[in-house]
Amino acid sequence: MKKINAAITGIKGYVPDYVLDNKELEKLVDTNDEWIVSRTGIKERRILKGENKGSSDLGTAAVNGLLKKTNTLPEEIDLLICATATPDMLFPSTACLIANKIGAGNICAFDIMAACSGFLYALSTASKFIETGTYKKVIVVGCDKMSSIVDYTDRTTCVLFGDGAGAILLEPNFEGLGVQDTILRSDGGGGEFLRQKAGGSLHPASHKTIDAREHFVYQDGQPVFKAAVKSMADVSEEIMKRNDLTADDVAWLVPHQANKRIIDATSRRMGVGEEKVMLNIEKYGNTTTGTIPLCLWDWESQLKKGDNLVLAAFGGGFTWGSIYLKWAYDSKK
Ligand code: ACO
């Protein structure tokens, strides 16, 4: 029997209209455009405004766009995996909510939580269902309404995050294109440096947790920065080595967009020039699970069938990883 690879056959991103730029943040906290751009590379980010809107609305917009673009009917979908760090609620899962909103009843749908590495964890999981022949059409969507857990009085985090979503369609490929290799790692010891402390079973919501501002994302930037630089570069180098890829073989590095300095360190270690690095952090900030599919969406028109892509991410947990894939189609946006 011919080997089945899981290949991306369509991509769609969605970002809300409202632009929160560095100038507006200067009015909220003691910061400035020069600090934010030089330390992170971020100029603006998108924010989902309005009542009763959650991550599932971002994800639904991306998935509906994907279905339209790929001429796929909701009833053709076998599985929908949603990666999110900001689920609409603890349960039902955001994947179930999205499946319902797009009109895909009766399908397998579940969430994956690996913070900023969530999209890679979800893509890797989804690819197994294709490679084993279990399913034929799988959607992976990364969506995060980070503004729902950002403290806009905390200058150390509020400048970093934005809202957004990206969705891919995965299908079987018999030409050797698609996902080739995956490395996924974690270190729970990093949990104390990057977390949303309250709202789960350990510290359920109470007046005390709200007064202590424990429902917001907390980050101790320096240890996270150090771990991110080392880990993302390590796994990107490792996946190249074990697949005999030289820097020339790599057409694109698709890095999680948390900080331009982390991305630069990763591409330097890989020996990949900056002209091959997908970067959109300046206009969206860190959209957590949305960053990698949003990059692929922004760069889709430049991707060619057979291109070698290395995807790499680092996030809360700590979690990190890389995926090596061969792009499966010549793209037109
Ligand atoms: N504006 C102005 N000054 C600021 C700001 C700001 N927005 N934020 C912090 N500062 C100040 C600090 O208070 C500090 O001042 P001090 O020296 O007087 O104490 C100074 O700037 C330096 O602060 P550092 O935290 O050392 O700044 P650093 O260069 O480390 O940059 C940053 C901070 C951008 C957060 C960086 O640490 C980083 O990118 N960390 C990793 C982020 C990441 O990869 N996260 C993982 C993914 S996210 C996820 O999984 C949800």
Side-chain angles (χ1 to χ4, degrees):
M1 212 174 79
K2 259 195 152 181
K3 183 172 184 282
I4 309 173
N5 281 91
I8 297 174
T9 55
I11 175 105
K12 186 74 181 178
Y14 174 78
V15 287
D17 293 335
Y18 190 89
V19 176
L20 173 60
D21 63 16
N22 291 348
K23 282 279 161 233
E24 189 176 345
L25 280 170
E26 285 178 11
K27 293 180 202 147
L28 300 177
V29 289
D30 180 13
T31 190
N32 58 77
D33 179 61
E34 197 278 327
W35 191 97
I36 302 171
V37 174
S38 64
R39 297 293 179 113
T40 70
I42 303 168
K43 291 182 181 154
E44 55 188 46
R45 56 298 286 137
R46 301 300 182 94
I47 303 295
L48 182 63
K49 293 278 186 182
E51 295 289 306
N52 293 318
K53 287 185 181 160
S55 293
S56 74
D57 294 289
L58 298 164
T60 299
V63 174
N64 273 333
L66 176 71
L67 294 178
K68 195 166 170 218
K69 189 174 162 187
T70 56
N71 291 317
T72 307
L73 297 170
E75 50 269 32
E76 292 179 274
I77 304 302
D78 301 305
L79 162 68
L80 188 148
I81 302 181
C82 175
T84 184
T86 50
D88 281 21
M89 53 196 91
L90 283 178
F91 64 88
S93 72
T94 305
C96 285
L97 299 174
I98 295 173
N100 183 49
K101 286 181 184 180
I102 63 166
N106 215 22
I107 64 166
C108 178
F110 60 89
D111 283 2
I112 280 189
M113 159 60 102
C116 292
S117 311
F119 187 79
L120 292 194
Y121 270 68
L123 170 55
S124 172
T125 306
S127 67
K128 308 300 173 206
F129 284 96
I130 299 274
E131 288 162 9
T132 53
T134 311
Y135 293 134
K136 296 214 161 29
K137 285 188 193 285
V138 177
I139 286 182
V140 178
V141 54
C143 52
D144 270 299
K145 185 184 172 189
M146 290 305 290
S147 61
S148 66
I149 59 164
V150 164
D151 180 353
Y152 287 97
T153 65
D154 173 11
R155 71 175 180 174
T156 67
T157 52
C158 74
V159 301
L160 304 174
F161 297 101
D163 301 338
I168 55 164
L169 180 63
L170 271 188
E171 293 183 273
N173 182 285
F174 300 94
E175 299 174 81
L177 302 171
V179 174
Q180 306 292 311
D181 195 13
T182 298
I183 300 174
L184 298 174
R185 299 268 157 77
S186 73
D187 172 10
E192 64 181 293
F193 303 115
L194 179 54
R195 65 182 174 187
Q196 183 189 334
K197 193 171 173 187
S201 57
L202 185 60
H203 302 290
S206 66
H207 287 294
K208 200 172 149 217
T209 62
I210 290 169
D211 290 345
R213 309 185 83 75
E214 288 172 356
H215 295 268
F216 292 118
V217 61
Y218 163 83
Q219 176 172 258
D220 186 352
Q222 294 255 336
V224 179
F225 182 83
K226 278 186 198 146
V229 166
K230 181 173 183 325
S231 309
M232 241 170 85
D234 279 354
V235 284
S236 305
E237 193 181 35
E238 188 182 339
I239 210 159
M240 282 175 73
K241 272 194 184 144
R242 74 185 199 188
N243 290 281
D244 294 322
L245 292 172
T246 65
D248 284 344
D249 297 326
V250 176
W252 296 100
L253 166 65
V254 193
H256 170 54
Q257 313 277 307
N259 186 318
K260 179 151 185 323
R261 290 182 291 153
I262 299 171
I263 296 170
D264 290 344
T266 303
S267 61
R268 264 199 307 276
R269 180 93 79 81
M270 293 168 72
V272 168
E274 61 181 30
E275 71 287 355
K276 292 184 181 181
V277 180
M278 292 189 191
L279 202 67
N280 59 13
I281 191 171
E282 71 284 357
K283 54 180 184 173
Y284 304 141
N286 180 351
T287 55
T288 302
T289 61
T291 61
I292 287 179
L294 281 170
C295 268
L296 291 171
W297 178 54
D298 273 350
W299 262 262
E300 187 190 16
S301 63
Q302 296 187 51
L303 295 172
K304 292 192 290 299
K305 189 173 174 177
D307 275 355
N308 290 318
L309 272 58
V310 174
L311 284 44
F314 179 89
F318 295 145
T319 54
W320 66 100
S322 68
I323 290 183
Y324 159 42
L325 62 84
K326 285 184 179 290
W327 195 248
Y329 62 102
D330 289 316
S331 313
K332 290 189 268 335
K333 205 156 189 181

